[in-house]
Amino acid sequence: MAGCGEELKLLGMWASPFVVRVQIALRLKGFSYEYVEEDLQNKSELLLRSNPVHAGKVPVLIHNGKPVCESSVILRYIDEAFSGAEPSLLPADDPYGRAMVLFWAAFIDDTLLKARSQALRGETGEEKEQGRKKAAAAMATLEGVLRESKARFFSGRDGPGYLDIMLGSLLGSMRATEEICGLQTFDPTTTPLLAAWAELFCALDAVEPVMPRVERLVEYAEATQPRTAVSSTTN
Amino acid sequence: MAGCGEELKLLGMWASPFVVRVQIALRLKGFSYEYVEEDLQNKSELLLRSNPVHAGKVPVLIHNGKPVCESSVILRYIDEAFSGAEPSLLPADDPYGRAMVLFWAAFIDDTLLKARSQALRGETGEEKEQGRKKAAAAMATLEGVLRESKARFFSGRDGPGYLDIMLGSLLGSMRATEEICGLQTFDPTTTPLLAAWAELFCALDAVEPVMPRVERLVEYAEATQPRTAVSSTTN
């Protein structure tokens, strides 16, 4: 168990949704960890040394001196390296269930995020409009996944799992983007389950203190280059 | 164990490196499976029903009637659903080892493939040249990973594992691209370990019969739209 002689250090940056993923996973498991805020314009030696392949992108989780990079890899590592630490993020003893979760996680990081990126950075108005439509369709698809879970969370339990963290960690950034550019996070009238899930997720003790506030994200985006945070973090 | 009352059906298309991944994994494990070649211009009802989210992209592995999509997800499923079936693709009982493998697998599917795509489809000559440089750098990085494995395979054993399959499955397509556009797969003089590994990998009994022949891939690419295969397959 982490906390009993285990050393966990997370190198992060508060505005990165991918860092938020790791924070939520560690807090859900109830692990003690040291959080180190990085200045991405002036990265620490430790960060550069821990993720040399991706030039010091965050998040990096350092466990007893050994670094693990990329949020989706870190989440699985947290689940596997401390087995027995509840809750399980991925369904234990259910290979098919795990495959389904990983499939939908890839859908979030590929299909949904690419659609949103196209909506924001498409070269023409038409391209942006297509991106908006794809993003809305992806959210509608995720509404269906939540409906099929027959629970308030994607995990199918009465608490969050891997997929809840993968999508939920994006909510702060998505809402800030909505504020700045009008790109809707989701439409509560067509995705009522997602709307209720988002409320529930953001109010969790493991989530609320580490989810970046929308006002602060908007302020940060306005004060810096629009892509600073994104280009220095990995998913 | 697959083959003892288990039904495995793979929906694929011969030229797709992502389908090749699954074929190699199934063959390495020694599983019996039915391979169904799909016409991607006229997809079967079964394929469309099995991967509706991605409009019938291949590969899809159907295990006892239940579909699993996306090659990296399928590979992990094959490793976990039939535990005890040797060889293990991911290092068993070694969460840190598994995290490292998944990190490098993401490097192949993101960093390497994106660099190659930029080299082939960049909008300017300069952009293409940058893509070429990034692809060469990614291969040099992978040479270092292979060197660190202290074995002839990325698995660190004397036989292939997850990472060998993830990269090795691309060799046919990469060599065909080299033939068509001159984009080098890798430079044997700067990556001698990769060159020896590629020879060894392609000659394996589990690989040789399912690795698409370069001449056939070149012929196929010349006869069809250049992106047909890629746009209808997922990684």
Side-chain angles (χ1 to χ4, degrees), chain A residues 23-213:
Chain A
Q23 299 234 62
I24 294 172
L26 291 168
R27 291 170 59 88
L28 265 180
K29 294 270 190 183
F31 293 169
S32 308
Y33 64 98
E34 181 191 350
Y35 175 76
V36 181
E37 178 73 14
E38 287 281 342
D39 172 359
L40 298 182
Q41 306 311 312
N42 184 22
K43 295 173 181 176
S44 72
E45 269 306 305
L46 179 62
L47 177 57
L48 291 167
R49 196 170 67 236
S50 301
N51 191 3
V53 175
H54 296 302
K57 286 190 180 178
V58 292
V60 176
L61 181 70
I62 305 179
H63 178 208
N64 294 341
K66 295 197 292 186
V68 185
C69 308
E70 305 226 359
S71 66
S72 64
V73 176
I74 297 172
L75 256 55
R76 263 170 286 168
Y77 179 74
I78 290 172
D79 217 26
E80 295 181 5
F82 310 96
S83 65
E86 295 293 336
S88 262
L89 303 182
L90 285 157
D93 303 321
D94 177 6
Y96 191 76
R98 279 201 295 281
M100 290 302 99
V101 169
L102 295 178
F103 172 81
W104 288 114
F107 179 84
I108 291 167
D109 273 0
D110 295 339
T111 309
L112 175 64
L113 290 188
K114 273 186 197 149
R116 290 181 59 86
S117 170
Q118 185 183 332
L120 293 168
R121 291 185 270 276
E123 285 184 12
T124 63
E126 195 188 338
E127 217 174 283
K128 284 183 181 174
E129 183 52 29
Q130 276 180 357
R132 268 174 206 270
K133 281 184 184 160
K134 284 188 209 163
M139 277 301 192
T141 300
L142 290 169
E143 173 86 0
V145 178
L146 187 53
R147 192 179 306 115
E148 278 191 25
S149 83
K150 298 191 172 67
R152 297 192 299 170
F153 290 95
F154 285 94
S155 64
R157 299 182 306 233
D158 203 31
Y162 190 89
L163 215 48
D164 296 284
I165 300 174
M166 291 293 282
L167 183 62
S169 59
L170 306 173
L171 286 168
S173 306
M174 283 180 171
R175 284 169 170 164
T177 308
E178 186 165 351
E179 194 86 5
I180 300 165
C181 329
L183 175 60
Q184 209 171 29
T185 305
F186 49 71
D187 177 353
T189 59
T190 55
T191 59
L193 296 177
L194 274 181
W197 162 84
E199 287 290 311
L200 198 65
F201 183 82
C202 290
L204 291 169
D205 286 346
V207 176
E208 202 272 340
V210 291
M211 181 68 80
R213 297 279 164 277

